[in-house]
Amino acid sequence: MLRITGGKVYDPANQVHGEVRDVSISDGRIVSRIEGGRTIDATGMVVLPGGVDAHTHVAGAALNFARAMVPENQRQAVPFLHTPERRMGLGGLTPTTFATGYLYAGMGYTTVTEAAVPVLSAKHTHEELRDTPLLDKACLLLMANNEIVMDLLETGETERAGHVVAWLIWAAKTYGIKAVNPGGVAAWKWGKNAKGLFDPIEGYRNVTPARIISALAEIIDGLGLPHPLHLHANHLGMPGNVATTIETMKLLEGRRAHFAHLQFHAYGGDDWPTMRSEAAQVADYFNAHPGFTTDAGAILFGNAMTITADGPWQHLLHELTGKKWGNIDVENETGCGIVPYVYKRSSLVNAIQWAVGLELLLLIRDPWRIFLTTDHPNGAGFWRYPELVQLLMDRDYRRERLKALPAKAQKRIVLGDLDREYTLSEIVTITSAGPARALGLAQKGHLGVGADADVAIYDERPRGEALFKTPRYVIKGGEVVIEEGQVRAMTEGREFVVRPGFDPQIEDYLRPLFQQVYTMSFDNYPVEAERVHGMQVAECRVSA
Ligand SMILES: [Zn+2]
């Protein structure tokens, strides 16, 4: 039992904005009151629900590939978190499992969403997540380039495709569906990419990116998944991709949808020299469509590691930069490309990207619909979130940083015109309450009775300065795990999964097909339930 007294509580999901009140904890949950137990005096501090990351990449085969690819970075870039008698962690921009847990919890984050898991390597992902302490997790299954599903869409068998998708979600023990460059990753197996949203994918007559996106959104609604389609749209990173982004949003009008790392999808111009921000156009459209959520995918200057299923984009990035390039083919399901990258303030393109992420965060009015991410480790390491918090809360600081951009870049952005400063409640919304709601995790992102007792406590400081950098206390599931900047206790997290309904006969359809096209045996394909630590099966609500 634990009581936190005297702190200013920020709990926007329950309309609490900085009131001094007690928070009581018993058996890992928030309760209305307790007798006895430890008391933490939080006078002069702010008390927030633990952070929830809506989109990050922290575990799995691609991460391991990236760790091995840059041995020269292993000891760089990661701040040191003092962990007496704890296990060691390394990894540069892609920290190893323990370091990932320490660093997230060391900021006050207690739940993360691993946003890209192929079924074929899901066992590996779950093993790494199990080895990542102090955090609860959920995984999103890569699905927009699965050839079995695409073949069913080609012949118009959408209903059967729905059963296959549901079977695969449970086989991989995942929580939702991530679509990456729909069709483009499949085309990359022949060295090609998807073209327009309505152009057929290489090898198909009827399957287009638009068809894949609409079918998946329809299937997800039909299955009643708690989180909507999580979409990495086509043409990521390309100048002029604003047209594709808006067109994609139009396809999903009237539905729920989550647009991943929107920063990488809000560019104007015809080519690299003419690239400019189109954050305002994207934000206007987005603001008018309340069913949509997004995460910023902001970039910060310095080292990054780009890792994405978007194989064709990664090959282009390698050609543009001359940096190392890793490519992983995942049989009939997806692919992956890896390129280490450095964002430079002096680069016109990078300077525009830096501004676009902040512009979207400032121009999208409803903090319940845009979440703080760097698409870690693509835009920056997640441990740099405190820098973004300060940029959002402190206009003067932001203007100062803006002056350091190349003059040419300053003419292609609107950041200088934006006066908005985030309040602390809004910061809590974009880092915890909003992502929890969008993920459908009712027990996360708030401090109401019955919520998981995930709490972060910081010294109160003006205008976001160093907020999140060094919490005084982090409580995970009712246990004090970080105290005064040190890891004090280790807890193993849980994993949230869904088990959508499917026709059990779908296995009779899948088995012979699978044996023909996969190198693995069908019986070895699904992830065993025992492999997923602390598995919590969330409810699927199919509306009539
Ligand atoms: Zn991502």
Side-chain angles (χ1 to χ4, degrees):
M1 284 192 295
L2 181 65
R3 182 186 288 109
I4 303 158
T5 61
K8 278 190 194 167
V9 175
Y10 287 83
D11 181 11
N14 292 302
Q15 288 82 47
V16 177
H17 305 288
E19 290 164 34
V20 175
R21 54 162 73 184
D22 287 1
V23 174
S24 301
I25 293 168
S26 180
D27 287 331
R29 301 254 172 178
I30 307 286
V31 295
S32 52
R33 58 190 298 274
I34 52 163
E35 299 293 335
R38 179 181 173 186
T39 298
I40 289 178
D41 180 2
T43 307
M45 302 179 205
V46 294
V47 180
L48 324 179
V52 178
D53 201 325
H55 186 116
T56 185
H57 303 277
V58 290
L63 267 287
N64 242 5
F65 192 114
R67 287 169 190 137
M69 205 167 138
V70 283
E72 67 275 22
N73 282 358
Q74 290 297 299
R75 287 175 180 279
Q76 286 176 13
V78 177
F80 182 66
L81 192 71
H82 188 50
T83 55
E85 297 168 44
R86 304 294 170 202
R87 292 164 80 180
M88 176 60 186
L90 282 174
L93 265 296
T94 47
T96 48
T97 51
F98 326 124
T100 296
Y102 302 154
L103 288 165
Y104 260 116
M107 270 193 315
Y109 271 67
T110 47
T111 305
V112 297
T113 311
E114 162 52 59
V117 181
V119 193
L120 254 181
S121 61
K123 289 183 186 183
H124 179 136
T125 306
H126 289 295
E127 292 286 357
E128 280 200 27
L129 289 178
R130 180 180 197 150
D131 208 37
T132 304
L134 305 173
L135 301 172
D136 287 339
K137 305 105 184 173
C139 291
L140 302 179
L141 184 64
L142 289 164
M143 192 43 70
N145 296 278
N146 184 296
E147 290 181 28
I148 292 176
V149 174
M150 288 169 76
D151 289 354
L152 288 170
L153 298 183
E154 176 78 353
T155 50
E157 296 173 83
T158 314
E159 194 182 329
R160 183 176 268 171
H163 290 290
V164 170
V165 169
W167 188 90
L168 291 168
I169 289 172
W170 177 244
K173 302 295 179 287
T174 46
Y175 184 80
I177 292 293
K178 163 85 167 300
V180 173
N181 185 358
V185 182
W188 176 239
K189 291 170 192 292
W190 287 270
K192 308 216 159 120
N193 199 348
K195 298 181 197 96
L197 274 185
F198 300 96
D199 295 326
I201 299 302
E202 186 70 19
Y204 292 93
R205 290 171 61 166
N206 306 317
V207 181
T208 62
R211 175 80 191 106
I212 298 170
I213 293 165
S214 302
L216 286 176
E218 192 183 316
I219 286 169
I220 288 165
D221 281 352
L223 296 174
L225 300 190
H227 184 51
L229 178 64
H230 194 109
L231 179 59
H232 159 147
N234 300 81
H235 302 155
L236 172 140
M238 300 297 293
N241 64 10
V242 61
T244 303
T245 304
I246 302 276
E247 228 180 341
T248 306
M249 288 181 174
K250 282 188 179 152
L251 277 179
L252 291 163
E253 254 181 20
R255 290 190 184 274
R256 299 182 307 158
H258 180 86
F259 295 89
H261 37 67
L262 198 56
Q263 180 278 125
F264 289 106
H265 302 274
Y267 309 145
D270 301 318
D271 51 19
W272 298 106
T274 59
M275 182 172 152
R276 62 173 190 275
S277 164
E278 284 295 351
Q281 195 189 144
V282 171
D284 281 351
Y285 191 88
F286 185 93
N287 281 332
H289 294 83
F292 296 162
T293 55
T294 188
D295 61 271
I299 71 118
L300 288 165
F301 299 117
N303 283 320
M305 175 62 88
T306 69
I307 306 179
T308 169
D310 199 336
W313 162 254
Q314 289 296 76
H315 182 250
L316 178 65
L317 191 62
H318 157 68
E319 290 196 318
L320 288 169
T321 61
K323 299 262 189 196
K324 291 182 197 182
W325 169 55
N327 185 71
I328 305 175
D329 180 58
V330 190
E331 300 200 12
N332 309 283
E333 298 179 3
T334 183
C336 179
I338 302 170
V339 179
Y341 192 78
V342 185
Y343 293 98
K344 296 196 179 102
R345 188 177 277 109
S346 58
S347 146
L348 175 69
V349 169
N350 293 163
I352 291 168
Q353 292 182 302
W354 178 84
V356 168
L358 293 168
E359 288 171 355
L360 289 167
L361 280 157
L362 294 163
L363 287 166
I364 290 176
R365 286 189 293 268
D366 183 358
W368 286 93
R369 296 207 286 126
I370 182 162
F371 314 130
L372 189 76
T373 65
T374 55
D375 190 17
H376 163 81
N378 287 281
F382 62 78
W383 49 90
R384 295 182 67 189
Y385 289 176
E387 293 174 45
L388 286 165
V389 168
Q390 189 171 358
L391 286 162
L392 294 174
M393 292 186 82
D394 186 340
R395 181 177 48 220
D396 296 338
Y397 173 70
R398 192 165 69 225
R399 293 233 162 103
E400 209 48 51
R401 305 315 302 154
L402 182 60
K403 278 189 213 153
L405 299 187
K408 209 171 173 185
Q410 297 194 32
K411 295 194 192 105
R412 313 264 189 98
I413 59 178
V414 296
L415 188 60
D417 305 332
L418 305 179
D419 285 337
R420 180 174 169 194
E421 287 184 331
Y422 268 66
T423 64
L424 184 49
S425 270
E426 288 176 328
I427 293 291
V428 176
T429 307
I430 65 169
T431 57
S432 176
R437 184 179 285 180
L439 288 162
L441 294 171
Q443 72 277 50
K444 298 293 183 190
H446 71 102
L447 298 173
V449 169
D452 286 349
D454 299 344
V455 189
I457 305 175
Y458 308 84
D459 284 324
E460 189 172 16
R461 290 195 176 125
R463 305 180 102 186
E465 187 193 339
L467 184 76
F468 291 135
K469 215 162 193 173
T470 39
R472 293 287 297 273
Y473 304 92
V474 178
I475 295 149
K476 171 74 186 65
E479 202 174 338
V480 179
V481 291
I482 306 270
E483 200 167 338
E484 311 299 350
Q486 288 195 0
V487 180
R488 288 287 168 88
M490 295 293 271
T491 58
E492 288 192 323
R494 296 170 298 166
E495 255 198 76
F496 300 103
V497 305
V498 292
R499 185 175 195 166
F502 53 82
D503 175 3
Q505 309 266 309
I506 199 66
E507 285 199 19
D508 299 339
Y509 169 78
L510 276 173
R511 180 179 289 273
L513 186 58
F514 191 95
Q515 302 289 39
Q516 271 173 37
V517 299
Y518 272 83
T519 59
M520 185 189 256
S521 139
F522 187 67
D523 291 321
N524 290 334
Y525 188 51
V527 176
E528 313 86 327
E530 311 80 70
R531 203 182 283 269
V532 183
H533 187 78
M535 187 169 78
Q536 306 272 306
V537 183
E539 212 181 316
C540 293
R541 288 210 188 105
V542 184
S543 49

